[in-house]
Amino acid sequence: DAGVTQSPTHLIKTRGQQVTLRCSPKSGHDTVSWYQQALGQGPQFIFQYYEEEERQRGNFPDRFSGHQFPNYSSELNVNALLLGDSALYLCASSFAGAGNTIYFGEGSWLTVV
Amino acid sequence: AQSVTQPDIHITVSEGASLELRCNYSYGATPYLFWYVQSPGQGLQLLLKYFSGDTLVQGIKGFEAEFKRSQSSFNLRKPSVHWSDAAEYFCAVTTSGTYKYIFGTGTRLKVLA
């Protein structure tokens, strides 16, 4: 049973560039959430996708956008990268429904230089 | 405002000693509570969760946690720590009315041989 998989594992981008991170949910899950974890901090909720729609968003600017595909996989896009966007980006999947347990992938390390 | 507080940033214990990691939450609705563990450079692994019922919950790797509503706490315990338990531990809270998890800032555990 495959868990949550994310790609790429590491990447380096330059300020002002755009980045796309990818996530495949755990088998059977239909909901994907994205979190940002800065160094020394706990994960911060970016948004959640269900039925190909964003259904809740955290306190992140519009530079952060996402997409969910019919096979439930998801992408996180960040435009106009800032140095402060350097972080571990975590994808988590779950069954639909508020309060359901979320399961995390290994994350994508983004460094902005 | 909803929040999770982990008062101890770092904890050091000797192998074989008991462990208690503290977590306090501030949440208006009935909370669902979680503990996750993160090894260096890795994603988050679920240790245990509390939704309702028995306030003492058992998790993986010999961990347990106790929900105390009167103290707004959900402390994690282990009777005898192993060197492999060295990692960062995160407490998180959500509720049935939201899809967002709120995480604490984490407690880094060091285990002395």
Side-chain angles (χ1 to χ4, degrees):
Chain A
D1 180 20
V4 180
T5 58
Q6 294 186 241
S7 64
T9 54
H10 295 81
L11 68 167
I12 300 173
K13 291 287 188 177
T14 304
R15 274 181 301 175
Q17 285 189 316
Q18 180 263 348
V19 67
T20 297
L21 308 178
R22 296 176 176 82
C23 172
S24 292
K26 184 178 169 66
S27 179
H29 287 177
D30 55 8
T31 301
V32 173
S33 303
W34 286 93
Y35 286 77
Q36 180 196 65
Q37 186 179 17
L39 208 58
Q41 300 295 316
Q44 299 286 320
F45 177 74
I46 303 175
F47 42 54
Q48 186 182 86
Y49 275 82
Y50 171 67
E51 292 188 337
E52 303 180 46
E53 297 284 335
E54 180 187 294
R55 69 174 176 179
Q56 188 171 358
R57 188 178 184 91
N59 189 26
F60 279 80
D62 292 344
R63 298 186 298 109
F64 290 77
S65 63
H67 189 77
Q68 186 180 33
F69 300 94
N71 66 353
Y72 308 122
S73 67
S74 177
E75 289 182 349
L76 165 65
N77 301 291
V78 187
N79 295 322
L81 285 167
L82 304 174
L83 295 179
D85 295 330
S86 296
L88 177 65
Y89 288 85
L90 294 161
C91 173
S93 73
S94 63
F95 296 110
N100 280 329
T101 303
I102 60 175
Y103 296 87
F104 286 89
E106 297 292 299
S108 294
W109 284 98
L110 170 65
T111 301
V112 182
V113 297
Chain B
Q2 302 144 353
S3 65
V4 174
T5 301
Q6 294 181 246
D8 305 304
I9 298 174
H10 293 97
I11 283 186
T12 300
V13 300
S14 298
E15 191 170 20
S18 63
L19 172 70
E20 182 169 26
L21 302 183
R22 295 183 290 165
C23 172
N24 293 96
Y25 66 91
S26 173
Y27 219 83
T30 300
Y32 300 157
L33 295 154
F34 306 81
W35 276 98
Y36 287 84
V37 61
Q38 185 176 37
S39 297
Q42 303 294 311
L44 279 72
Q45 180 184 21
L46 178 68
L47 284 176
L48 48 78
K49 59 188 176 183
Y50 172 78
F51 281 8
S52 64
D54 191 348
T55 56
L56 184 64
V57 293
Q58 303 296 321
I60 62 171
K61 304 185 179 185
F63 286 92
E64 67 177 27
E66 185 171 12
F67 172 56
K68 293 185 178 180
R69 184 184 299 275
S70 61
Q71 299 177 20
S72 297
S73 70
F74 188 57
N75 294 349
L76 181 71
R77 301 194 293 249
K78 186 169 184 178
S80 178
V81 170
H82 188 263
W83 64 266
S84 60
D85 293 324
E88 187 143 27
Y89 292 80
F90 291 93
C91 180
V93 64
T94 189
T95 184
S96 61
T98 182
Y99 303 108
K100 175 175 72 173
Y101 279 41
I102 295 174
F103 285 82
T105 52
T107 297
R108 184 169 296 278
L109 174 65
K110 182 177 179 180
V111 180
L112 300 176

